[in-house]
Amino acid sequence: VAGATGGVAQAQAELEPNSFEDITSYNNFYEFGTGKEDPARNAGALVTEPWSIKVDGMVDNPGDYTLADLLDGLTAEERIYRFRCVEAWSMVVPWNGVELADVLAKVGVQSQAKYVAFETTVQPDVMIGVQRRVIPFPYVEGLRLDEAMHPLTLLATGIYGEPMPNQNGAPIRLVVPWKYGFKSIKSIVRITLTDEEPPASWNIINPREYGFYSNVNPNVDHPRWSQATERQIGGGLFASRKDTLMFNGYEAEVASLYEGMDLNEFY
Amino acid sequence: MDVVGTLNAALRRVPAWLVYVAGAAWAVWLFWQALNQLGPYKVEPINVLERAYGEVALQLLVAGLFVTPLRRFLGLNLLKFRRAIGVTAFFFVLAHFLVFAVLDVQSLERVWTEIVKRPYVTVGMAGFLALIPLAITSNNLSIRKLGGATWRKLHKLTYAAGLLGAVHFLWLVKGFQIEPIIYTVIIVGLLATRVKWSSLRPAATA
């Protein structure tokens, strides 16, 4: 674990974050529409106050937590991570957040739990994408427990020291930097500990295209496009593509989680 | 109809070359916005420009397919604009392809891989190829050389191009999105107006 966080510090120093403007005006948040600029345009009406998160399943302290209760005693730190979308574009984001492991320790994970499931809020009145049913809602995601407990995995509450903008998943979202962006579920209202692999939205919609793991992997293409390279946002009209890194550049930290697994099969 | 008559009279005074000028100006304006990252091009101009050129191309293909039914069912005569609409559509498809190849994918080898490996790119490419003979023969000399009947038969390829364009769009989006479905419905509807339904029915019994 110490080695893993040491690697983060080293990696962070080399990354140049995208502007706050870039990060908050180019988003996928299908609850607010399918266009990249739709979330920034439509997410203003998202109700984030009060915010309650249901914690249930195989935990010692289940219940409905306010955001303050859930984060009480934990200090948000800045983590500058690469963010790689499954659509083959990427950004660098300076998140503010706490390690998910610390939150899970607080709610008391029981020994039989193997997975963590997450759910996004559904507010049909203000969510145009929900009204249009572009995908099934609520959006759900999940991690294996060891992935959830990894020190790189965050519950983020801010960007650039500002409270999380609505279009980026206010007030609290997951950040798993070695997986495609859609795994980093936004605006979380439920966290469930379970012993079965939980459903994941894009995996339900199209299992051939989106696996449960969805680790960034330049060697396993999306059926409709290559994942070998990516376009870094912010380079303008003539930006050149960059090679995509195994586990999005976090191979040293996370590869051991998948030892012995065929990543072509468990994509 | 009076309105149609007035419209037809007004349209007779509009030269067809205006379509080319408007098309070129629009293409340059979109490129200019992307280059300077204005409006929707602010954060990520490459994909947005690629999308924009592709969408204008599809809209022009639809416009071209509207000409005949508008004349047949409403008496509105846009025939003299059809060639310009079609050729402009071709140039937008070409621009769409160039943005895809040069600015997006950025290597000939990868362009080829994409065309071969990705069915939605294959379909789009087929639509582009279908338009090439049409663009080349969109002049009076070709009509004379080929003969009217052959020329008209060849230009039925626009039907294929329209359908391929719609499928290309349907196939590339994630989730349930309404826009490509609308294009598909309109194009299929426009093609349906071309079917000679009477000849499909079994002969009526006496």
Side-chain angles (χ1 to χ4, degrees), chain A:
Chain A
V1 170
T5 35
V8 176
Q10 200 177 4
Q12 289 203 153
E14 299 158 13
L15 295 173
E16 170 97 25
N18 279 85
S19 68
F20 186 76
E21 169 94 355
D22 282 359
I23 296 166
T24 55
S25 49
Y26 193 79
N27 308 98
N28 277 325
F29 196 167
Y30 276 19
E31 282 82 345
F32 294 104
T34 52
K36 294 289 178 291
E37 69 283 10
D38 287 344
R41 190 187 302 139
N42 301 329
L46 178 72
V47 180
T48 57
E49 192 94 34
W51 194 264
S52 171
I53 299 165
K54 180 187 277 299
V55 179
D56 59 0
M58 295 163 173
V59 288
D60 295 330
N61 311 307
D64 294 311
Y65 288 79
T66 66
L67 198 57
D69 286 343
L70 199 69
L71 300 175
D72 184 43
L74 304 174
T75 319
E77 51 178 304
E78 182 177 71
R79 295 280 182 89
I80 302 173
Y81 284 161
R82 289 184 200 85
F83 183 91
R84 170 62 156 80
C85 180
V86 73
E87 296 164 345
W89 54 265
S90 67
M91 288 186 181
V92 173
V93 184
W95 303 104
N96 309 102
V98 300
E99 289 184 15
L100 174 60
D102 291 336
V103 173
L104 292 179
K106 195 189 235 180
V107 299
V109 177
Q110 294 177 349
S111 59
Q112 68 273 35
K114 292 192 180 71
Y115 294 91
V116 190
F118 303 89
E119 195 177 305
T120 295
T121 186
V122 179
Q123 301 177 12
D125 294 349
V126 299
M127 290 176 155
I128 194 161
V130 171
Q131 293 162 19
R132 291 181 187 159
R133 298 165 198 255
V134 289
I135 56 171
F137 294 106
Y139 192 86
V140 291
E141 259 303 342
L143 296 172
R144 221 168 54 189
L145 190 59
D146 58 343
E147 298 174 326
M149 299 296 281
H150 194 281
L152 285 177
T153 305
L154 298 187
L155 280 179
T157 51
I159 292 170
Y160 270 112
E162 302 283 333
M164 187 66 71
N166 288 359
Q167 60 268 37
N168 293 82
I172 187 165
R173 64 171 289 169
L174 188 67
V175 177
V176 194
W178 71 92
K179 291 176 181 285
Y180 293 121
F182 66 84
K183 291 292 290 183
S184 294
I185 184 170
K186 297 188 175 93
S187 304
I188 297 168
V189 289
R190 187 174 181 185
I191 300 175
T192 308
L193 276 292
T194 163
D195 58 357
E196 282 174 18
E197 187 179 287
S201 282
W202 281 105
N203 180 244
I204 298 168
I205 297 160
N206 197 335
R208 201 174 69 89
E209 297 189 350
Y210 310 98
F212 174 77
Y213 287 93
S214 288
N215 293 316
V216 176
N217 188 341
N219 308 313
V220 176
D221 283 347
H222 184 282
R224 287 183 285 154
W225 54 84
S226 165
Q227 295 291 23
T229 62
E230 65 200 49
R231 179 165 43 247
Q232 293 178 331
I233 300 299
L237 191 56
F238 302 111
S240 58
R241 296 186 86 94
K242 299 279 184 299
D243 288 339
T244 290
L245 303 170
M246 188 65 202
F247 294 113
N248 203 23
Y250 301 96
E251 189 171 11
E253 291 89 349
V254 302
S256 60
L257 296 175
Y258 309 101
E259 233 166 337
M261 275 174 69
D262 180 354
L263 297 177
N264 281 292
E265 188 186 345
F266 298 99
Y267 53 92

Side-chain angles (χ1 to χ4, degrees), chain A residues 21 25-26 30 34 87 134 202 210 221-226 229 231 233 236-241, chain B residues 31 35 37 42-47 103-106 110 114 117-118 120 171-177:
Chain A
E21 169 94 355
S25 49
Y26 193 79
Y30 276 19
T34 52
E87 296 164 345
V134 289
W202 281 105
Y210 310 98
D221 283 347
H222 184 282
R224 287 183 285 154
W225 54 84
S226 165
T229 62
R231 179 165 43 247
I233 300 299
L237 191 56
F238 302 111
S240 58
R241 296 186 86 94
Chain B
F31 190 86
L35 186 65
Q37 296 186 249
K42 185 174 59 180
V43 180
E44 201 294 296
I46 301 171
N47 247 329
L103 298 179
D104 184 353
V105 178
Q106 299 178 359
R110 283 204 298 260
E114 293 288 300
K117 265 180 91 170
R118 322 278 169 213
Y120 85 92
W171 213 330
L172 76 92
V173 298
K174 280 163 61 193
F176 176 81
Q177 297 192 30

Side-chain angles (χ1 to χ4, degrees), chain B residues 120-195:
Chain B
Y120 85 92
V121 183
T122 317
V123 165
M125 199 63 205
F128 178 36
L129 292 178
L131 287 175
I132 292 174
L134 307 191
I136 293 172
T137 58
S138 283
N139 50 72
N140 295 340
L141 182 69
S142 295
I143 298 177
R144 272 199 305 275
K145 277 198 161 168
L146 289 169
T150 313
W151 187 91
R152 270 194 298 279
K153 203 177 259 178
L154 176 67
H155 279 248
K156 292 211 160 101
L157 272 175
T158 35
Y159 304 162
L163 271 181
L164 290 165
V167 172
H168 173 64
F169 193 9
L170 271 176
W171 213 330
L172 76 92
V173 298
K174 280 163 61 193
F176 176 81
Q177 297 192 30
I178 201 74
E179 254 192 302
I181 297 173
I182 292 173
Y183 279 106
T184 309
V185 168
I186 293 176
I187 289 172
V188 170
L190 287 170
L191 295 191
T193 66
R194 266 89 174 170
V195 178

